[in-house]
Amino acid sequence: MIPAGKILKKHAVRPRRRFSQSFLKDDNVARKIVGAADLRGQDVVLEIGSGHGILTRLMAPRVKNLLAVEIDPQLVAVLEEETGSRDNVLILEADILKLDLATLLAGHGGERKKIVGNIPYGISTEILFRLLTHRRLIASAVLMVQKELAERLTAAPGTKAYGIPTVLLTMYARIGHLFDVPPPCFHPRPRVVSSVISLTFRERPLVELSDENHFFRLVKAAFAQRRKTIANNLRAAPELGCKQEDLEEMLEKCGLNGRIRAEMLTVETLGRLSNELTTARRGAPSSGEEGKGEGRQSEEGADKESALEGTGNGGHGIVTDMLLEFPDR
Ligand code: SAH
């Protein structure tokens, strides 16, 4: 196989900044990424941002099908030339944020797909949230992101890096910060260090949530102003629908002092708090008697995934919509 660096030269590819193009040119790092993805012959892999195909070429011989998504037509042409002869590779010229992922991931056999990619850094968080939205169709993901984002996703409560992306993704996935990749491994060199992360979606969320939408809104509200207390942040969020007089009590029930800041709370605590507030909002008896509350039946009946995916917004769902407004993403 010709080295990655040579492919770029051979095709005279000029990196385009608007697509966050920074091509991996180190074949050892590429092998390490593919190794981390733990690919099997029966796997169907979705590669995001295939570029000139350094990962694509390595993965194609190892898997059943490879769906390679790339937005830039000049690179699609390169991919077609370099990997197009393999009939298990499907090259899709598309924007990963606009693609109908539900249909794509549900097709090509029933198994959950593996996701791999050295993804465009400008839209990494959006991509992660789209994967979260479609997590039931995904087994795992191995992705190259900015080191800063990798640190944020794996941050512990009480640290500055701990925030909305940490909480929402940790609720549904185990996240590993696998290894770092320095700028000289890329062309052009990025200004930041990169990291390869892994995401394995849990069978069940860390806490069984009675209303996922509420949880997302709560997390967003709780971190809205990081220096404010949780009580003040939640008070400023009428969309949570919790009565002011209930708030202190609910916080106490979760063993929380209202003067604490959201960044001190674990993912589990935020999940439990959302459940308490949801129950209170419905005017139902809390925790122990869960399930008897008014309105619970109908809401429970709704497909949980629909809460995430939403409709009429290109299938991006509430998480992505919310994310676009996040100050600290
Ligand atoms: N995987 C390659 C390229 C990484 S650079 C490598 O490791 O060398 C990121 C790639 O994502 C680029 O090829 C870029 O064109 C592509 N890309 C950028 N935005 C995209 C989008 N919205 N949808 C799909 N691909 C995108």
Side-chain angles (χ1 to χ4, degrees):
M1 199 152 60
I2 47 172
K6 290 225 168 96
I7 297 216
L8 283 173
K9 281 212 184 86
K10 175 177 154 196
H11 296 275
V13 177
R14 281 252 213 90
R16 292 184 178 169
R17 189 180 292 213
R18 84 186 133 110
F19 292 137
S20 307
Q21 288 173 353
S22 185
F23 302 109
L24 188 61
K25 60 176 189 182
D26 186 314
D27 289 300
N28 285 327
V29 174
R31 277 191 283 273
K32 228 169 136 182
I33 294 172
V34 173
D38 191 26
L39 302 176
R40 306 287 148 109
Q42 71 275 16
D43 285 340
V44 178
V45 172
L46 168 68
E47 189 192 0
I48 302 173
S50 301
H52 58 91
I54 180 169
L55 298 174
T56 328
R57 290 183 304 147
L58 278 176
M59 292 191 288
R62 302 179 188 208
V63 298
K64 187 168 95 183
N65 283 112
L66 181 54
L67 317 169
V69 177
E70 172 54 55
I71 198 170
D72 184 348
Q74 73 164 352
L75 290 168
V76 168
V78 174
L79 280 170
E80 270 161 4
E81 201 176 318
E82 297 295 334
T83 63
S85 58
R86 297 196 69 101
D87 56 12
N88 69 334
V89 179
L90 178 65
I91 300 165
L92 299 163
E93 184 181 326
D95 180 342
I96 190 68
L97 297 182
K98 297 202 177 121
L99 201 59
D100 177 0
L101 268 187
T103 306
L104 186 68
L105 292 170
H108 304 276
E111 300 80 22
R112 295 163 101 192
K113 311 297 184 279
K114 288 185 177 167
I115 315 287
V116 178
N118 169 12
I119 59 177
Y121 294 171
I123 53 170
S124 297
T125 326
E126 279 94 333
I127 291 175
L128 287 172
F129 278 81
R130 286 212 81 195
L131 298 182
L132 176 61
T133 301
H134 299 289
R135 66 187 183 278
R136 288 188 178 82
L137 301 168
I138 299 170
S140 59
V142 170
L143 303 167
M144 176 107 69
V145 297
Q146 247 176 272
K147 183 174 181 182
E148 190 217 340
L149 177 57
E151 287 175 341
R152 209 186 295 172
L153 293 174
T154 51
T159 61
K160 223 175 133 202
Y162 184 75
I164 295 169
T166 332
V167 175
L168 295 189
L169 280 153
T170 304
M171 178 57 88
Y172 296 98
R174 285 185 191 83
I175 306 166
H177 183 159
L178 303 184
F179 56 91
D180 294 339
V181 186
C185 295
F186 300 88
H187 171 74
R189 287 186 187 200
R191 262 168 287 164
V192 293
V193 173
S194 304
S195 299
V196 175
I197 59 165
S198 65
L199 265 92
T200 314
F201 289 105
R202 306 174 194 279
E203 281 304 318
R204 313 214 61 81
L206 270 182
V207 174
E208 274 318 322
L209 296 168
S210 48
D211 181 345
E212 279 183 339
N213 266 329
H214 185 275
F215 175 67
F216 293 128
R217 294 211 172 87
L218 170 85
V219 174
K220 187 187 174 192
F223 285 92
Q225 298 211 31
R226 295 188 69 112
R227 283 158 54 184
K228 276 197 183 173
T229 65
I230 178 115
N232 281 342
N233 269 329
L234 297 188
R235 248 179 229 122
E239 69 276 14
L240 292 175
C242 71
K243 295 195 206 95
Q244 296 302 323
E245 59 269 29
D246 289 343
L247 191 57
E248 295 288 340
E249 193 192 323
M250 292 304 121
L251 287 168
E252 244 168 58
K253 237 183 195 162
C254 295
L256 300 175
N257 179 324
R259 289 191 303 273
I260 205 165
R261 285 187 275 167
E263 67 196 42
M264 303 305 293
L265 306 184
T266 63
V267 177
E268 289 91 336
T269 302
L270 286 160
R272 282 203 307 275
L273 179 60
S274 167
N275 284 350
E276 286 292 348
L277 293 175
T278 309
T279 312
R281 188 186 54 178
R282 290 171 181 158
S286 97
S287 326
E289 293 186 80
E290 244 169 57
K292 293 182 190 161
E294 218 182 304
R296 188 177 171 86
Q297 227 40 44
S298 57
E299 291 201 38
E300 187 111 295
D303 176 1
K304 282 205 169 172
E305 189 149 279
S306 66
L308 276 168
E309 293 192 332
T311 48
N313 59 0
H316 284 196
I318 181 173
V319 197
T320 320
D321 287 350
M322 277 175 35
L323 185 86
L324 299 174
E325 305 157 20
F326 288 168
D328 71 337
R329 72 195 158 98

